[in-house]
């Protein structure tokens, strides 16, 4: 394979390297965000919630990303009082069941997304089938698109390189 890359002109080598770097960075960012989400969860949420260890002040969040839509989770974390005021049935049920309103923590949108990513990573181990059928397209779409672009680029490079006559 190194012979193939070695024989290509410089500009094509650069584009392959750029595609490879982008592909790797997406994976690294995804893992990094989940780790940030865990830190944010531990410092802001773990006082009231557990994941798979039972109820504390609030509900156990094991499987929450399977049971609830992401938009609802974002609203519940960002503005729990707003959901109660709107008479959201799930928010009202949680308030009734735990007799304690969830506190708005003032987290940024990015922090909330990182927490949800952390919860999704945790939940995928619990129910792989559910997450793979409901969440696969949105979670892996950037990686799939970049992979397709890399395959197209490599195919075009191979076709161009294949037209050259060997002496």
């Amino acid at each position: 394979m190194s012979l193939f890359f070695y024989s290509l002109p410089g500009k094509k080598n650069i584009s392959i390297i750029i595609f490879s770097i982008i592909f790797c960075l997406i994976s690294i960012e995804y893992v990094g965000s989940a780790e940030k989400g865990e830190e944010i969860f531990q410092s802001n949420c773990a006082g009231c919630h557990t994941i798979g260890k039972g109820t504390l002040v609030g509900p156990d969040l094991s499987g929450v990303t399977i049971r609830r839509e992401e938009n609802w989770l974002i609203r519940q974390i960002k503005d729990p009082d707003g959901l109660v005021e709107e008479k959201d049935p799930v928010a009202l049920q949680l308030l009734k069941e735990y007799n304690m309103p969830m506190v708005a923590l003032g987290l940024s949108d990015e922090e909330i997304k990182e927490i949800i990513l952390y919860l999704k990573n945790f939940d995928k181990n619990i129910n792989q089938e559910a997450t793979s059928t409901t969440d696969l397209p949105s979670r892996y779409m950037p990686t799939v698109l970049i992979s397709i672009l890399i395959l197209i680029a490599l195919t075009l490079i191979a076709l161009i390189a294949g037209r050259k006559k060997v002496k």
Side-chain angles (χ1 to χ4, degrees), residues 57-116:
V57 176
D60 184 329
L61 297 180
S62 177
V64 72
T65 62
I66 298 168
R67 294 188 309 272
R68 308 278 184 253
E69 292 182 11
E70 186 171 333
N71 289 335
W72 187 89
L73 290 171
I74 292 169
R75 295 253 351 258
Q76 177 67 3
I77 296 168
K78 189 169 188 140
D79 184 23
D81 295 332
L83 283 175
V84 171
E85 288 173 9
E86 293 173 13
K87 301 198 184 319
D88 178 82
V90 175
L92 291 175
Q93 176 62 32
L94 290 170
L95 181 60
K96 181 180 175 184
E97 188 174 335
Y98 295 95
N99 200 25
M100 174 73 72
M102 181 164 163
V103 177
L105 300 171
L107 299 172
S108 70
D109 291 343
E110 186 62 32
E111 290 172 319
I112 292 170
K113 288 179 182 179
E114 288 169 348
I115 290 172
I116 292 172

Side-chain angles (χ1 to χ4, degrees), residues 13-76:
N13 262 343
I14 291 171
S15 61
I16 291 171
I17 291 169
I18 290 172
F19 281 126
S20 300
I21 290 171
I22 291 170
F23 185 74
C24 291
L25 287 177
I26 287 175
S27 300
I28 291 169
E29 181 181 333
Y30 183 77
V31 171
S33 291
E35 289 172 359
K36 289 180 201 172
E38 181 177 10
E39 291 173 14
I40 296 166
F41 180 87
Q42 292 302 324
S43 63
N44 291 282
C45 312
C48 296
H49 300 280
T50 67
I51 304 174
K53 296 180 182 172
T55 301
L56 278 178
V57 176
D60 184 329
L61 297 180
S62 177
V64 72
T65 62
I66 298 168
R67 294 188 309 272
R68 308 278 184 253
E69 292 182 11
E70 186 171 333
N71 289 335
W72 187 89
L73 290 171
I74 292 169
R75 295 253 351 258
Q76 177 67 3

Side-chain angles (χ1 to χ4, degrees), residues 1 4-5 15-24 26 142-158:
M1 186 160 175
F4 176 72
F5 288 125
S15 61
I16 291 171
I17 291 169
I18 290 172
F19 281 126
S20 300
I21 290 171
I22 291 170
F23 185 74
C24 291
I26 287 175
T143 304
V144 169
L145 290 174
I146 290 173
S147 298
I148 290 170
L149 289 173
I150 290 171
L151 288 172
I152 291 170
L154 289 174
T155 302
L156 290 173
I157 291 169

